[in-house]
Amino acid sequence: MIMTEITMPTKYDPKETEAGRYEWWLNGKFFEADPTSEKEPYSIVIPPPNVTGKLHLGHAWDTTLQDILTRMKRMQGYDALWLPGMDHAGIATQAKVEEKLRGEGISRYDLGREKFLEKTWEWKEEYASHIRAQWAKLGLGLDYSKERFTLDEGLSDAVKEVFVKLYEKGYIYRGERIINWDPAAKTALSDIEVIHKEVEGAFYHMEYPLADGSGKLRVATTRPETMLGDSGVAVHPEDERYKHLIGKTVILPIVGREIPIVADDYVDMEFGTGVVKMTPAHDPNDFEVGNRHNLERILVMNEDGTMNELAGKYNGMDRFECRKQIVADLQAAGVLVEIEPHVHQVGHSERTNAVVEPYLSKQWFVKMAPLAEEALKMQANEDEKVNFVPNRFENTYNRWMENIHDWCISRQLWWGHQIPAWYHKETGELYVGKDAPADAENWTQDEDVLDTWFSSALWPFSTMDWPNEESELYKRYYPTSTLVTGYDIIFFWVSRMIFQGKEFTGTRPFKDVLIHGLVRDAEGRKMSKSLGNGVDPMDVIDQYGADSLRYFLATGSSPGQDLRYSTEKVESTWNFVNKIWNASRFALMNMNGLKFEEIDLTGDLSTADKWILTRLNETIERVTALSDKYEFGEVGRELYNFIWDDFCSWYIEMAKLPLYGEDEAAKLTTRSVLAYVLDNTMRLLHPLMPFVTEEIWQHLPHEGESITVAAWPTVNEAFNFKAEAGEMQLLMDIIRSVRNIRAEVNTPMSKQVPMTILAKDASVAAVLEVNKGYIEKFCNPETLTIGADLEAPAQAMSAVVSGAEIFMPLAGLINVEEEIARLEKELEKWAKEVKLVSGKLSNERFVAKAPEALVAAEREKLADYEAKYATVEKRIAELKNM
């Protein structure tokens, strides 16, 4: 596509420019995997969002980084697969659907399981379409032909396969244990679905009388309502205070039940009174002690957090109302001897925010020790391990796996993978299998479903058609290359994918896992509904465009660190997009209909041409290397500096000389350089800013249908002009120095002033003479004198650059004393630089261990700084002798 007339608006409008490409991204035409690629596959699976409606900023961060990786790899010729999908999110989705039903005046029980699931599938279909639209709006290059959902048929088969195999190995069992119970959702939770919050509570100190009337034992609890389920008190077997009481009994206040005194090492003799009440049905530690001493398990609470019939007169009361009443009754009975204020951590449900209740329940568990052991062995092997970026998170993962508890995997929900276990209606016999027993009418399937993370743990391989290991998808793209996710779900998801991947595929599920932090507000607070500081990424896109948001998310933090969201920073990025847009418009308007085949870089390149081509090579090399190390913050800085400073601020200004001149050959060369540099720059920038780069690239002289499938830029050795790049640096230093001098004495650039440049030798003088057109254009001298053997003008402002001194005689404007003071400050600066580099070079360890090129560069720096110091020192002496 060749444009002879530029129709691009003067300002980048995301609503107009990006909106037209949403459907393009959603189509996925350019993003299907290409098994014919000669390079090895590069595969990523998207962290599946749950189907509750909206993507949050954290998900936008995940997917932006993954999109950057896959776009870059695709452009580099890899067979890149980015497989999208969504998670059924059992608790969250069921809660949303039930909330909707309540608004209609019905409950799931009114509908029954089958009808309720129909309603939930309708919800899923509606909100899945919203999520796809949001992915497209964010500009994600997904292979939609391979989209998966954790409840689709293939993934359900994988879940059943894993459950049955783990059960057959003895790794899955059903047992009665204390679990985390969410009274609001009325379901079990795993440990990592519990959020601990600091709460102001109290220790309630009570006295339990000995049954023989010989005394009392003092105990304390933060949950007095559970005392109704006490079935014993425990002391340490070596505690001399209580040895004589072991085996005796106490009377449980209010209830009047006689309960035994047992001896157990669990009790800390130094804490409190050394006596601990035992409630085996409502506390995990008490449960273990109770098992050792055959204490009765008395469950005094219903699933909804109300007290049951075993709570006696408190039956039917809410647990917290019961607490207040029991405290009052204990005080009335003279049993409550002290209420001690106590701030402690209380578990809350991640999904419903209800206070979690330790609760005795029969659930399904995964025995984690053997699975964790194998995963840790794999992690100890450099060739097999998952590489964490930053690597400090590997320790986080290892510590978790070393101290892991059995995983409660059953949930009392309807939306999810129903557990593949059946009970015989007459005998109660248990059957576990992928399919129902042959005589299914005689069996009842377990009503519970599996924890959402059970199916999500299989995501890297279940989405690749596993357990069909002969599938071309599985054989080619598994294990995957990179996972991008936040540190907050290392335990939830990353660890589970690793141990399940090792157990069922024998290998790591991904080579690298790039960890980022949390998105916080500008004050560093976690975003939450209660604070009202949440940000909808779709709103940001509507205002500033997806490119601005993506660039901010990708470059606003380093791996593993939190990101502070700032509207001002997103707006700043939008200004950067506009800078790119307008620089491109300028270049395109001056290309005069240049066609791709007319681009010619074999002509007489100017110093500025050679410099920008060299800087482009350097930028390509740095951006590629930094991207491979996931240092996208540094990638952003490299691109920003090259585009804003080198290309826009310097090269475009210098290109105006030939473009507005009379030399047609010079014009063609400059147009060709502009086209070549812009083309490659858009390709480098494309993974971060897909919309604006595609739009600009389509206007540029180019080959191919889309920048998405254009080749990634590579270093062109023919365009490495180190000498000319150094010459250009000298010219820029001179121009900057002149601007600074003029600013100091308030002399505008429009006012012509005599100018002398004293070169350190004839070769530098020759370079300046060849490029004097740039100096005249950007310094506006009245006269320009260049030479290596010149006398320094008197009463002149001066500046020192590498290889030259600049003098501007500003009669009547210069104050000699002030100029000496300014130069003395400059002398201090160069003295510090000399001292710093000298110190480095005098360090024998640095000289011995640093790369030879680095040491040589430091020596060159030292020589340059010493020369500048000597020049400034000489100039000060001259001024003082005037």
Side-chain angles (χ1 to χ4, degrees):
M1 175 182 178
I2 303 299
M3 298 294 296
T4 55
E5 184 178 335
I6 304 304
T7 57
M8 297 161 68
T10 56
K11 205 167 191 179
Y12 182 71
D13 182 358
K15 290 187 181 69
E16 185 177 312
T17 309
E18 296 182 3
R21 300 208 179 274
Y22 292 161
E23 290 301 318
W24 201 15
W25 302 139
L26 194 55
N27 182 312
K29 181 177 179 181
F30 303 103
F31 305 114
E32 291 186 13
D34 178 18
T36 64
S37 170
E38 294 180 3
K39 286 196 175 183
E40 67 270 23
Y42 183 89
S43 55
I44 285 179
V45 286
I46 195 168
N50 62 52
V51 286
T52 53
K54 285 191 174 183
L55 302 181
H56 52 73
L57 270 175
H59 187 81
W61 195 3
D62 283 338
T63 52
T64 293
L65 295 177
Q66 291 195 319
D67 195 49
I68 290 169
L69 289 169
T70 46
R71 284 182 184 273
M72 185 180 75
K73 292 297 182 182
R74 188 176 292 110
M75 295 173 78
Q76 289 173 341
Y78 288 84
D79 174 17
L81 169 66
W82 191 15
L83 188 150
M86 299 176 208
D87 194 300
H88 65 278
I91 296 175
T93 303
Q94 180 157 322
K96 289 283 187 182
V97 176
E98 288 196 74
E99 182 182 353
K100 182 181 178 184
L101 291 175
R102 280 195 298 273
E104 298 170 7
I106 54 177
S107 75
R108 63 170 162 141
Y109 301 104
D110 296 328
L111 292 174
R113 187 171 193 141
E114 188 175 333
K115 289 289 185 184
F116 175 78
L117 291 178
E118 286 178 13
K119 291 283 187 185
T120 313
W121 276 104
E122 289 172 9
W123 171 283
K124 180 265 175 185
E125 292 304 322
E126 178 184 352
Y127 283 95
S129 65
H130 295 338
I131 288 171
R132 290 189 199 100
Q134 290 169 2
W135 281 340
K137 197 168 181 177
L138 195 54
L140 305 185
L142 297 159
D143 185 348
Y144 285 101
S145 69
K146 299 179 178 63
E147 183 182 334
R148 304 305 296 269
F149 178 56
T150 48
L151 282 179
D152 70 26
E153 187 175 344
L155 271 66
S156 293
D157 286 344
V159 168
K160 291 173 187 175
E161 178 85 8
V162 166
F163 186 95
V164 172
K165 285 188 173 180
L166 289 176
Y167 178 80
E168 289 172 348
K169 289 185 74 169
Y171 291 176
I172 282 184
Y173 64 93
R174 189 168 185 253
E176 193 174 54
R177 295 184 58 179
I178 297 288
I179 48 88
N180 301 300
W181 185 261
D182 181 340
K186 289 190 277 192
T187 184
L189 304 173
S190 66
D191 289 346
I192 53 179
E193 290 172 301
V194 178
I195 308 298
H196 288 87
K197 301 179 183 180
E198 200 169 79
V199 172
E200 291 184 7
F203 263 128
Y204 298 90
H205 296 262
M206 301 173 283
E207 290 181 335
Y208 286 11
L210 291 161
D212 63 7
S214 61
K216 298 174 182 177
L217 291 182
R218 183 165 170 167
V219 299
T221 181
T222 58
R223 299 157 64 216
E225 66 278 9
T226 63
M227 67 167 288
L228 302 172
D230 284 3
S231 57
V233 294
V235 297
H236 195 278
E238 302 301 321
D239 195 330
E240 294 296 336
R241 294 172 293 177
Y242 307 117
K243 271 187 176 182
H244 65 291
L245 298 177
I246 296 168
K248 291 189 175 185
T249 60
V250 294
I251 303 298
L252 183 60
I254 297 178
V255 179
R257 187 170 61 245
E258 200 168 329
I259 56 176
I261 300 170
V262 299
D264 197 278
D265 290 338
Y266 161 73
V267 179
D268 182 355
M269 289 188 286
E270 305 302 320
F271 183 76
T273 61
V275 182
V276 182
K277 61 189 279 302
M278 291 288 118
T279 319
H282 289 275
D283 183 278
N285 296 315
D286 295 2
F287 176 81
E288 298 297 335
V289 175
N291 285 348
R292 291 194 286 270
H293 300 280
N294 296 314
L295 298 180
E296 187 180 359
R297 300 169 183 169
I298 305 169
L299 192 65
V300 297
M301 206 174 289
N302 296 312
E303 292 181 351
D304 63 357
T306 59
M307 309 307 290
N308 65 20
E309 65 278 0
L310 294 180
K313 68 177 184 177
Y314 307 102
N315 184 19
M317 292 182 69
D318 173 78
R319 54 184 167 155
F320 299 118
E321 287 302 315
C322 177
R323 177 180 299 179
K324 292 176 185 176
Q325 189 58 54
I326 281 186
V327 168
D329 291 348
L330 289 171
Q331 286 175 321
V335 175
L336 186 64
V337 293
E338 182 184 357
I339 300 176
E340 176 189 356
H342 176 59
V343 176
H344 60 140
Q345 297 287 324
V346 175
H348 289 70
S349 169
E350 183 205 20
R351 295 297 184 187
T352 67
N353 202 38
V355 173
V356 168
E357 192 67 39
Y359 195 76
L360 182 66
S361 180
K362 187 168 281 190
Q363 302 285 343
W364 290 90
F365 296 87
V366 174
K367 192 181 294 182
M368 284 305 307
L371 294 169
E373 183 181 356
E374 289 303 310
L376 286 167
K377 282 181 185 176
M378 180 177 71
Q379 204 60 21
N381 187 316
E382 284 297 323
D383 296 326
E384 297 180 0
K385 68 186 289 189
V386 172
N387 301 298
F388 284 80
V389 181
N391 61 12
R392 68 177 183 273
F393 287 104
E394 182 176 358
N395 291 329
T396 303
Y397 162 79
N398 286 340
R399 297 297 84 77
W400 168 260
M401 295 295 279
E402 288 164 358
N403 297 285
I404 202 163
H405 301 118
D406 285 0
W407 174 16
C408 177
I409 56 171
S410 46
R411 297 291 181 270
Q412 288 63 54
L413 305 169
W414 287 352
W415 176 243
H417 295 278
Q418 195 168 353
I419 290 175
W422 288 260
Y423 307 97
H424 197 280
K425 292 177 180 177
E426 293 182 4
T427 65
E429 177 189 352
L430 171 65
Y431 166 80
V432 172
K434 289 184 68 176
D435 302 307
D439 53 338
E441 67 277 4
N442 296 321
W443 298 77
T444 301
Q445 187 172 359
D446 195 307
E447 291 194 352
D448 288 353
V449 299
L450 289 164
D451 176 13
T452 297
W453 296 103
F454 191 92
S455 53
S456 298
L458 317 180
W459 187 257
F461 53 93
S462 64
T463 53
M464 305 282 191
D465 296 338
W466 187 92
N468 176 15
E469 296 186 359
E470 294 306 308
S471 159
E472 288 302 314
L473 194 65
Y474 178 82
K475 287 195 296 184
R476 184 161 183 81
Y477 299 107
Y478 185 83
T480 62
S481 306
T482 307
L483 170 76
V484 181
T485 194
Y487 60 62
D488 55 325
I489 58 171
I490 291 176
F491 311 136
F492 282 97
W493 193 39
V494 178
S495 63
R496 288 170 174 173
M497 285 190 285
I498 293 173
F499 70 68
Q500 293 286 49
K502 174 60 177 172
E503 174 67 18
F504 289 98
T505 70
T507 187
R508 59 191 175 189
F510 25 76
K511 181 182 176 184
D512 295 340
V513 52
L514 172 59
I515 300 292
H516 62 71
L518 301 177
V519 184
R520 299 184 181 275
D521 68 11
E523 296 175 32
R525 301 174 301 175
K526 189 174 179 179
M527 291 185 173
S528 68
K529 287 182 181 178
S530 59
L531 290 174
N533 61 350
V535 175
D536 185 339
M538 298 303 117
D539 292 342
V540 179
I541 291 173
D542 286 340
Q543 186 169 3
Y544 297 107
D547 287 331
S548 299
L549 176 62
R550 287 169 59 109
Y551 190 86
F552 165 73
L553 291 172
T555 64
S557 175
S558 56
Q561 299 299 312
D562 289 346
L563 173 69
R564 291 195 178 193
Y565 178 79
S566 163
T567 300
E568 290 74 21
K569 288 182 180 178
V570 178
E571 187 170 353
S572 173
T573 299
W574 181 67
N575 289 332
F576 179 40
V577 176
N578 270 293
K579 185 79 170 179
I580 297 164
W581 184 258
N582 287 321
S584 302
R585 284 182 72 254
F586 166 82
L588 287 161
M589 284 189 294
N590 285 279
M591 283 184 195
N592 202 31
L594 182 73
K595 296 180 173 61
F596 181 78
E597 59 272 19
E598 294 173 341
I599 294 175
D600 183 7
L601 296 171
T602 62
D604 187 12
L605 297 170
S606 68
T607 299
D609 294 334
K610 291 179 179 179
W611 167 74
I612 199 65
L613 291 170
T614 304
R615 283 291 297 120
L616 176 63
N617 269 347
E618 292 169 350
T619 303
I620 291 169
E621 186 173 27
R622 288 282 294 156
V623 166
T624 304
L626 288 166
S627 296
D628 287 340
K629 293 191 291 186
Y630 308 113
E631 292 284 356
F632 297 115
E634 292 302 313
V635 167
R637 276 180 275 281
E638 288 287 332
L639 288 169
Y640 184 93
N641 291 339
F642 175 74
I643 294 168
W644 192 293
D645 297 335
D646 298 339
F647 186 68
C648 296
S649 297
W650 286 103
Y651 182 71
I652 281 183
E653 293 305 312
M654 291 186 164
K656 290 177 182 177
L657 272 68
L659 287 174
Y660 298 161
E662 301 299 325
D663 187 335
E664 291 302 320
K667 286 183 182 181
L668 175 59
T669 298
T670 304
R671 288 170 184 149
S672 297
V673 172
L674 280 169
Y676 177 82
V677 172
L678 259 179
D679 175 21
N680 280 275
T681 303
M682 290 306 100
R683 297 185 199 207
L684 287 176
L685 190 60
H686 175 70
L688 286 87
M689 295 183 178
F691 290 106
V692 70
T693 52
E694 182 74 71
E695 189 70 19
I696 292 170
W697 193 80
Q698 290 293 343
H699 284 79
L700 288 169
H702 68 271
E703 282 188 324
E705 188 177 359
S706 169
I707 194 173
T708 303
V709 287
W712 182 255
T714 54
V715 171
N716 186 333
E717 294 296 340
F719 294 154
N720 276 338
F721 303 102
K722 297 298 182 185
E724 288 85 348
E727 293 170 6
M728 182 65 184
Q729 189 60 55
L730 172 59
L731 292 172
M732 291 191 296
D733 287 346
I734 289 171
I735 294 166
R736 286 193 197 98
S737 296
V738 169
R739 288 172 176 171
N740 290 339
I741 288 172
R742 284 176 171 272
E744 282 187 39
V745 292
N746 198 25
T747 303
M749 291 299 297
S750 58
K751 181 179 176 61
Q752 292 188 322
V753 177
M755 182 174 164
T756 299
I757 302 178
L758 176 58
K760 74 172 182 179
D761 55 40
S763 63
V764 174
V767 167
L768 296 176
E769 193 65 42
V770 169
N771 291 286
K772 69 186 300 183
Y774 292 127
I775 301 171
E776 289 170 341
K777 169 67 176 175
F778 296 105
C779 296
N780 194 24
E782 180 181 15
T783 57
L784 176 61
T785 306
I786 299 172
D789 300 308
L790 300 173
E791 286 292 327
Q795 294 287 305
M797 295 284 284
S798 66
V800 178
V801 296
S802 297
E805 268 187 282
I806 304 139
F807 299 94
M808 298 184 71
L810 297 168
L813 297 176
I814 182 172
N815 181 305
V816 174
E817 288 183 4
E818 287 181 0
E819 176 67 355
I820 290 172
R822 184 185 69 81
L823 288 172
E824 284 178 340
K825 284 184 181 178
E826 191 173 342
L827 192 69
E828 286 178 20
K829 180 181 82 170
W830 297 125
K832 286 178 183 176
E833 296 290 356
V834 168
K835 183 179 180 182
L836 183 67
V837 180
S838 296
K840 192 180 287 187
L841 289 171
S842 65
N843 185 329
E844 293 179 4
R845 290 182 63 189
F846 169 76
V847 174
K849 293 187 176 182
E852 190 175 329
L854 180 59
V855 175
E858 291 297 317
R859 286 182 175 139
E860 283 183 20
K861 264 193 213 175
L862 179 61
D864 183 44
Y865 294 153
E866 286 176 336
K868 286 176 177 175
Y869 180 89
T871 302
V872 173
E873 190 176 39
K874 178 184 174 186
R875 181 60 181 159
I876 291 171
E878 289 171 352
L879 288 172
K880 286 182 176 179
N881 292 325
M882 285 178 62

